[in-house]
């Protein structure tokens, strides 16, 4: 930034700069100069896009038995929208426009398309929305500043109840010695009231176990909230697994008993990144029972759906547990209310990028806005994602874009649910 330009930045009207698709984004371009400036113009540009990029090192054989290595890059992009709007511009009678010395601000606004994915940041790829302001100076380098904002797409769990069924599963492991003589078995029943959640909710996992052998002990039981991401480059797909949250119980363990593990869902983007064809995002609940000796642990993963609008039950229908202990499997899930807000698009399958066919991009009519007005919970707060920050500099930008190296963390809705101990849980039994 030049010595005469003391301040050049972009402010958003909304605190936290978090928006839903279809909303109007408003803000101000702030300028503070020590002297008058004559420039060709002032404009702002808006961009929404997805990008993936990673490099891999490969080794290859060479002469005389020597091996060499080289790095190969994998990339892909998907553009959602790109706008450029003049704030100050010259006309035929003018060769320049005047920016006075001192503090000046210019308002900007634009509307987001409806069919765009949620913001997402990762070291191997992102879905990103940015605003850039540019002072166009003839015969000189342009002054540029940049800021990012968060878009949260609506994924209403009430329209996905078939994906939010309770988990009730039986696991079994047989222990044998080296001479194939059976030493006993470990049986476990996994019970979770639903597989659909929003950030702020607690995943209550009940594990009922029965260990029929005294020579092999249970040493630990844990549950993990896992994330699976697939980055689709033009010629290769990279899959990355990570654990968001985990909880464990280390005993002591009787031969027969039950353990209840709680995981509070942190601020994370909704599942699937619908409308994004180059990044797949899925969540899983992984439960594991660790045992002594050289035996492998008993474990299994279950798909979870993370939304931005929570499930709603009538008060008499709400599934709950008393003191965190489940009474049995749920035989049904209450159907969505006739006036419950929902989105009509289907969740993409996991079969790869070719199966993800969103409708044509553009400013289409919205579905009814989903809210929590009919739910007995307060509106969500918007908190920074637990994945960490990334800079927002694009690969083709210079090193002189003010704000491009600032850390950016998307914000997602977090609902203020009561602690699990305050819930009253009542599973229907057959």
């Amino acid at each position: 930034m030049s010595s005469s330009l003391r301040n050049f930045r972009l402010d958003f009207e909304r605190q936290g700069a978090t928006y839903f698709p279809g909303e109007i984004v408003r803000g101000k371009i702030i300028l503070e100069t020590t002297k008058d400036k004559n420039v060709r113009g002032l404009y702002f540009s808006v961009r929404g896009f997805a990008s993936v990029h990673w490099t891999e090192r490969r080794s290859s054989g060479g002469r005389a038995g020597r091996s060499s290595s080289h790095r190969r890059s994998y990339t892909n992009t998907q553009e959602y929208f790109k706008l450029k709007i003049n704030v100050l511009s010259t006309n035929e009678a003018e060769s320049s426009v005047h920016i006075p010395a001192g503090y000046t601000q210019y308002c900007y606004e634009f509307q987001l398309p409806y069919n765009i994915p949620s913001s997402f940041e990762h070291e191997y790829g992102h879905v990103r929305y940015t605003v850039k302001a540019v002072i166009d100076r003839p015969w000189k380098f342009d002054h540029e500043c940049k800021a990012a904002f968060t878009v949260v797409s609506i994924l209403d769990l009430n329209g996905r109840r078939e994906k939010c069924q309770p988990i009730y599963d039986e696991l079994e492991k047989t222990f044998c010695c080296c001479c194939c003589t059976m030493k006993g078995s470990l049986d476990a029943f996994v019970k979770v009231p639903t597989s659909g959640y929003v950030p702020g909710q607690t995943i209550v996992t009940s594990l009922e176990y029965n260990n029929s052998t005294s020579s092999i002990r249970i040493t630990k039981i844990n549950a993990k909230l896992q994330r699976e991401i697939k980055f689709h480059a033009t010629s290769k797909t990279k899959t990355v697994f990570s654990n968001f949250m985990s909880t464990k119980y280390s005993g002591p363990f009787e031969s027969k008993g039950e353990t209840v593990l709680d995981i509070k869902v942190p601020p994370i983007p909704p599942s699937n990144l619908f409308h994004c064809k180059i990044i797949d995002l899925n969540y899983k609940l992984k439960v594991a029972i660790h045992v002594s000796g050289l035996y492998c642990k008993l474990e299994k993963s279950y798909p979870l759906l993370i939304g931005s609008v929570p499930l709603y039950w009538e008060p008499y229908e709400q599934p709950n547990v008393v003191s965190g202990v489940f009474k049995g499997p749920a035989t049904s899930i209450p159907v969505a209310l006739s006036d419950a807000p929902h989105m009509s698009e289907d969740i993409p399958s996991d079969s790869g990028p070719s199966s993800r066919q969103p409708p044509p991009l553009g400013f289409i009519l919205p579905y009814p806005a989903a809210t929590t007005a009919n739910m007995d919970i307060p509106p969500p707060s918007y908190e920074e994602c637990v994945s960490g920050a990334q800079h927002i500099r694009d690969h083709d930008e210079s090193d002189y874009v003010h704000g491009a190296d600032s850390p950016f963390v998307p914000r997602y809705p977090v609902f203020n649910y009561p602690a699990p101990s305050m819930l009253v849980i009542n599973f229907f039994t057959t």
Side-chain angles (χ1 to χ4, degrees):
M1 191 172 295
S2 68
S3 58
S4 63
L5 187 60
R6 289 184 174 178
N7 193 4
F8 185 32
R9 73 175 191 271
L10 287 152
D11 288 349
F12 294 95
E13 182 183 66
R14 181 175 298 174
Q15 185 177 4
T18 301
Y19 301 88
F20 290 102
E23 284 198 291
I24 294 176
V25 180
R26 296 184 176 92
K28 294 178 180 179
I29 302 170
I30 306 299
L31 274 169
E32 189 176 359
T33 66
T34 59
K35 61 182 181 181
D36 292 355
K37 282 184 173 292
N38 292 316
V39 300
R40 182 182 291 138
L42 169 66
Y43 66 87
F44 72 91
S45 61
V46 188
R47 189 184 182 201
F49 70 105
S51 175
V52 299
H53 178 271
W54 74 91
T55 59
E56 295 180 4
R57 184 179 295 276
R58 291 190 171 188
S59 299
S60 58
R63 296 179 179 179
R66 295 180 180 178
S67 63
S68 61
S69 63
H70 64 278
R71 301 187 69 87
R72 180 176 178 181
S73 294
Y74 298 90
T75 62
N76 203 353
T77 58
Q78 182 186 10
E79 197 89 23
Y80 303 117
F81 63 92
K82 196 171 186 179
L83 308 172
K84 179 181 177 181
I85 301 174
N86 287 323
V87 179
L88 298 173
S89 59
T90 59
N91 55 38
E92 293 181 358
E94 298 174 329
S95 59
S96 65
V97 292
H98 179 69
I99 297 177
Y103 180 89
T104 312
Q105 62 182 30
Y106 302 92
C107 295
Y108 68 86
E109 71 173 50
F110 56 91
Q111 185 180 12
L112 295 171
Y114 285 96
N115 49 343
I116 54 177
S118 293
S119 296
F120 174 78
E121 293 287 337
H122 190 275
E123 62 176 313
Y124 298 135
H126 53 256
V127 177
R128 185 176 295 163
Y129 301 92
T130 59
V131 184
K132 180 189 285 187
V134 179
I135 301 174
D136 186 1
R137 304 194 302 166
W139 311 110
K140 295 180 181 179
F141 290 110
D142 294 340
H143 291 312
E144 299 177 295
C145 68
K146 187 177 184 181
F149 59 95
T150 304
V151 171
V152 180
S153 293
I154 295 174
L155 201 166
D156 186 353
L157 297 180
N158 297 284
R160 310 282 196 277
R161 287 180 179 263
E162 75 285 354
K163 303 277 186 179
C164 302
Q165 295 290 328
I167 298 169
Y168 188 75
D169 193 21
E170 181 177 359
L171 308 179
E172 182 180 6
K173 185 176 183 65
T174 301
F175 301 107
C176 298
C177 63
C178 57
C179 57
C180 296
T181 302
M182 191 175 77
K183 302 179 67 174
S185 64
L186 171 62
D187 300 312
F189 295 90
V190 179
K191 291 168 282 184
V192 186
T194 178
S195 51
Y197 295 88
V198 294
Q201 275 187 291
T202 299
I203 305 170
V204 182
T205 304
S206 171
L207 265 133
E208 188 177 321
Y209 59 88
N210 182 9
N211 185 11
S212 64
T213 174
S214 58
S215 59
I216 300 170
R217 298 176 293 103
I218 297 174
T219 59
K220 181 176 66 176
I221 296 177
N222 62 12
K224 298 178 181 179
L225 173 58
Q226 290 189 324
R227 178 179 70 176
E228 179 190 53
I229 316 170
K230 293 182 179 180
F231 300 97
H232 302 292
T234 54
S235 59
K236 189 174 183 179
T237 293
K238 184 180 185 70
T239 303
V240 177
F241 295 91
S242 59
N243 296 326
F244 267 130
M245 305 292 289
S246 64
T247 183
K248 66 179 180 179
Y249 177 64
S250 300
F253 295 96
E254 302 293 336
S255 60
K256 186 176 182 180
E258 184 173 12
T259 299
V260 177
L261 302 172
D262 297 343
I263 298 178
K264 188 174 182 179
V265 181
I268 51 178
S271 296
N272 301 297
L273 292 182
F274 190 66
H275 296 300
C276 179
K277 295 196 297 182
I278 64 175
I279 303 175
D280 295 331
L281 175 63
N282 293 288
Y283 298 99
K284 297 178 181 180
L285 173 67
K286 186 175 183 179
V287 296
I289 301 177
H290 300 253
V291 295
S292 61
L294 301 178
Y295 296 97
C296 296
K297 58 190 173 184
L298 178 61
E299 63 180 351
K300 191 170 181 179
S301 296
Y302 304 93
L304 296 180
L305 186 64
I306 303 299
S308 55
V309 178
L311 286 168
Y312 176 76
W313 285 275
E314 289 285 5
Y316 63 87
E317 292 179 316
Q318 187 165 354
N320 282 315
V321 172
V322 178
S323 302
V325 179
F326 296 102
K327 301 303 181 183
T331 57
S332 64
I333 284 287
V335 297
L337 302 180
S338 59
D339 61 347
H342 66 278
M343 302 282 281
S344 66
E345 74 270 14
D346 294 328
I347 290 179
S349 68
D350 296 331
S351 58
S354 61
S355 65
R356 303 168 64 85
Q357 299 296 331
L361 294 175
F363 291 86
I364 61 175
L365 292 175
Y367 295 103
T371 69
T372 58
N374 63 337
M375 305 178 189
D376 191 20
I377 54 175
S381 59
Y382 290 85
E383 301 178 15
E384 292 185 346
C385 182
V386 294
S387 298
Q390 301 288 331
H391 70 76
I392 58 172
R393 182 182 302 281
D394 294 332
H395 70 279
D396 57 350
E397 286 182 325
S398 73
D399 295 333
Y400 301 101
V401 180
H402 186 64
D405 290 326
S406 301
F408 170 69
V409 184
R411 293 174 176 266
Y412 303 107
V414 177
F415 292 83
N416 184 21
Y417 274 85
S421 59
M422 299 174 63
L423 297 177
V424 181
I425 300 188
N426 177 24
F427 258 180
F428 303 102
T429 56
T430 54

